[in-house]
Amino acid sequence: MPKDGGIGASSKRREDIRFLSGTGQYTDDINLHGQAYAYFLRSDVAHGKINGIDTSAAEGMPGVLRVFTAKDFDGVGGIPCGWQITSIDGQPMQEPKHPILAEGKVRHVGDPIAVVVAESLAQARDAAEAIMPDIEDLPAVMDMKAAVQEGAPKVHDDLTSNLCYDWGFVEDNREAVDQAIKDAAHVTTLELVNNRMVANPMEPRVAVGDYAAHSGESTLYTTSQNPHVIRLLMGAFVLGIPEHKLRVVAPDVGGGFGTKIFHYAEEAFCTFAAKQLRRPVKWTSSRSEAFMSDAHGRDHVTKIELALDADNNFTALRTETYANMGAYLSTFAPSVPTWLHGTLMAGNYKTPLIYVNVKAVFTNTVPVDAYRGAGRPEATFQLERVVDKAARELGVDPIALRRQNFITEFPYATPVAVEYDTGDYHATMDKVLEVSDHAGFEARAAESKKNGKLRGYGIAHYIEACGIAPSNLVGQLGARAGLYESATVRVNATGGIVVMTGSHSHGQGHETTFAQVISEMIGIDADQVEIVHGDTARTPMGMGTYGSRSIAVGGSAMVRAAEKIINKAKKIAAHLMEASEGDIELKDGAFTVAGTDKSVAWGDVTLAAYVPHNYPLEDIEPGLEETAFYDPANFTYPSGGYACEVEVDEETGRVEVMGFTAADDFGNVINPMIVEGQVHGGLAQGIGQALWENCAYDEDGQLISASYMDYAMPRSTDLPMFKVDHSCVTPCTHNPLGVKGCGEAGAIGSPPAVINAVIDALHRGGYDVPHINMPASPDRVWAAMQGAKANMGAAQPAARSTDTAEGRSV
Amino acid sequence: MKVDMKVNGRAVSGEVEGRTLLVDFIRQTLRLTGTHVGCDTSQCGACTIHMNGEPVKSCSVLAVECEGAEITTIEGMANADGSLSTMQAAFQEHHGLQCGFCTPGMVMAATALLKENPSPSEAEIRHHLEGNICRCTGYHNIIKAVQAASGQDVQPVAAE
């Protein structure tokens, strides 16, 4: 019988009422009295020297308040990077300055050159057209492998090269890995691309800066997943505003998917300009602008080698990845191809020796940073593709090869520095095969064949790391931040509760799920619990929402604070009932004394806390409000089996997704309805990456997929109904709720399942195609089939000359 | 220039430029911020409203073209007593929204579909909503919400 409230109930979302009635409060819905509008003039070339910027005509245009260029930011810091990686040779990564507006050079299409602030947006835009930048074209650095050659043109002239870092992990294993690969009975090698993606939350980014002269306080309203992180980075490193004079508000945020984690130049600009002009300044990104200014995701070029012994046991794994950083280092960019990727290369398998090498490269492209999954999709795609390829080369069942190598004992310390606490990979594999009706596949394939289509079944099994992260560990790994989470639980006199969480909801439904947890713990109706998030003036210092950390870290902080509340309330109840504190029980919103019929209601205790007439004032303070900061002991490790079924049209190369099944182990689940929704969305993005989405540049660095006309977002007609299951549960062992996190799994496990299914379909049609890079668009699939027919083996004639697996992915 | 129209049953008028889009008139002049802007190429559908009963992307209509028109936005969709309409309620019941940004446009488009096709199939719903992009839900629960709003049996969430 499903519960109708508390932990485990599919409670309907309270936030939906405002979203469905048009009363949500997104950042662009905020209009301050007297606000002016900012319009950014952006570079239309990838790389160029700025000889001068003539703003005189623009300054005289109607409504123009001021035109800003780089020279207006003397004494203002650059946009900081929040994670430092150390290279194999012990040197810190190369870290170029990231100015608010381009200084000396433009380094990617979209790099901001100047900003007009005017009375209206139309006036600002009109005036920006009158700005005359004198920019001398320089050769664009696009190919990562060419970029790190001696003598290559440099993105940053003051750096020694375009190499940001050269990272080896685990360096102590390198020689043993090399030897194991030499000694192997079989080595499967795969070169692949993880294509560049644009996160594309439906709400474009917005920033509104405000300055109160009477108090000297600045306020920034922004589309952020983590307002405190923005306050810290922007206040301390860019604008020099102490935190007590800076408030950052991230109200309703229309999706994030990672790209709204980072601190962006536009946020600093609006905050800065508001103080300069003594006017609120608002910037709203257009979608085209979003494509060239939101941090992109993925963009790895990788060679992976899997060694197996004569019995098909995995003996070693070696990877070499070129990771595109773009033109500047975005907030967490360096961590994505390293710690969020290398530590996951064991996957679900007991491979004893692993070595991961990552070369991060600067190019004349938009900065790349975390996008849903961040590093784990890149790891999973390599691993689940190379295992499938190995099975095909060895002539064994890919499911059996996986099962044979599954980790089965927990906790399990991988050779890549992490310890999985729990999991049951056979269970999720069994479940995905059952729910996807693997047994019935051959019959469906025969049916498809009758209809002239090639049907394929692809499986992938993923591990990921969520709930980031233990602060002392990430500090050792180069993070310039702690990754705890905070919560304040404020109980009001009449018993209602306000939880102020450092977590942030931008679609995840915290207001509902966090209230369910409190409701369960105290035994009061969830309607009595209000969840506040997204405002540095109202919530304790929190690190925000990304890395599927909200319930695992933010939820744990809330539980700890609520436990403190309950402990104090029990003391008060004991006093009121003249009983021993140890005998007090809290159930269904009432305190009882064990073994008696004495009882006081929750509201009686809370009232006593604030009207302490009959109260143990000598022992405890009045009031009922507690704060907790929770720092996780480990990552959490969700895992699952994903199955994709496709039909390939031999005539056109078009791939249709006929079915998709996800069987996840998320540990305990607070709200199954919301968890399923998270998986659905992740699947759509992962399938989108595998089949349609691609952020494409031409060889001159021109961004050629900068609108929804050119960037193929998954649409309602592209996707099937999904089958999702989360009945396999191995609770996390180190957080109070036993939860693991579910936000990114769908995007992590699905791309290899799709490509494995496409390859399976082609092989069933007699096409010996070992691999197809994402997106497996009709032209690529068709070309691969023709290449195989012409006995060209691995060759996939590029449908476009810009497609190449060698040095760049885009 | 001045433009007059009826929005959510109320007569409104305002000064606009010739280039002012309907969506900007709705959001900026009328301050009805439930209608959203998600792109600049008329692709995403977040700004869908009803114009004289038909679903229209309000980013692709000039405000001056709406002289005398009857416009309904998401703010005008609730029942007379303020409760959610059948479609709005079905979106909540079936978790057809997450971040909520595409939602007003989805509700407007889906409501219009049921007016012309009271019991659409899954394929018909998908076809009708092709011009409305959602990045959160993978459309799964939106399809179910529309089916439910049309009175069709839908499996409950979290039991499938």
Side-chain angles (χ1 to χ4, degrees), chain B residues 122-142:
Chain B
E122 181 199 330
E124 287 170 333
I125 297 169
R126 287 185 184 277
H127 179 74
H128 183 83
L129 295 179
E130 197 189 14
N132 291 73
I133 302 176
C134 172
R135 192 55 154 169
C136 293
T137 65
Y139 305 99
H140 183 108
N141 286 341
I142 291 175

Side-chain angles (χ1 to χ4, degrees), chain B residues 83-138:
Chain B
S83 62
L84 297 181
S85 72
T86 304
M87 184 63 73
Q88 289 169 314
F91 266 70
Q92 184 189 30
E93 183 66 24
H94 295 277
H95 192 29
L97 67 154
Q98 290 180 27
C99 82
F101 197 80
C102 77
T103 306
M106 282 286 178
V107 168
M108 300 309 287
T111 302
L113 168 65
L114 295 199
K115 269 209 307 203
E116 66 182 51
N117 182 352
S119 190
S121 65
E122 181 199 330
E124 287 170 333
I125 297 169
R126 287 185 184 277
H127 179 74
H128 183 83
L129 295 179
E130 197 189 14
N132 291 73
I133 302 176
C134 172
R135 192 55 154 169
C136 293
T137 65

Side-chain angles (χ1 to χ4, degrees), chain A residues 10 13 20 26 28-29 122 126 198-199 287-288 673 676-677 681 685 693 709 714-717 719 721-722, chain B residues 19 27 33-34 38 40 43 74 88 92-93 95 98-101 126 129-130 135-137 139-140 157-158:
Chain A
S10 284
R13 299 199 328 167
L20 282 161
Y26 299 88
D28 194 44
D29 302 339
D126 290 347
V198 182
R287 181 59 59 186
S288 303
M673 175 191 82
E676 291 181 8
Q685 290 180 3
E693 294 181 46
M709 314 283 275
R715 291 176 188 256
S716 52
T717 45
L719 295 162
M721 298 304 277
F722 305 116
Chain B
R19 62 180 170 178
R27 286 184 56 82
T33 54
D40 45 12
Q43 292 282 311
I74 189 69
Q88 289 169 314
Q92 184 189 30
E93 183 66 24
H95 192 29
Q98 290 180 27
C99 82
F101 197 80
R126 287 185 184 277
L129 295 179
E130 197 189 14
R135 192 55 154 169
C136 293
T137 65
Y139 305 99
H140 183 108
V157 173

Side-chain angles (χ1 to χ4, degrees), chain A residues 337-400:
Chain A
T338 49
W339 300 111
L340 297 178
H341 159 248
T343 54
L344 275 301
M345 283 312 304
N348 303 111
Y349 310 111
K350 50 194 178 198
T351 315
L353 288 164
I354 297 174
Y355 180 72
V356 178
N357 173 241
V358 179
K359 297 173 184 75
V361 183
F362 293 110
T363 61
N364 290 119
T365 60
V366 171
V368 179
D369 206 326
Y371 165 58
R372 200 171 196 167
R376 292 94 90 202
E378 294 90 324
T380 304
F381 186 67
Q382 294 167 49
L383 202 51
E384 290 302 287
R385 281 293 301 125
V386 81
V387 169
D388 237 53
K389 185 164 183 266
R392 203 166 288 286
E393 288 173 358
L394 295 164
V396 300
D397 174 19
I399 295 165

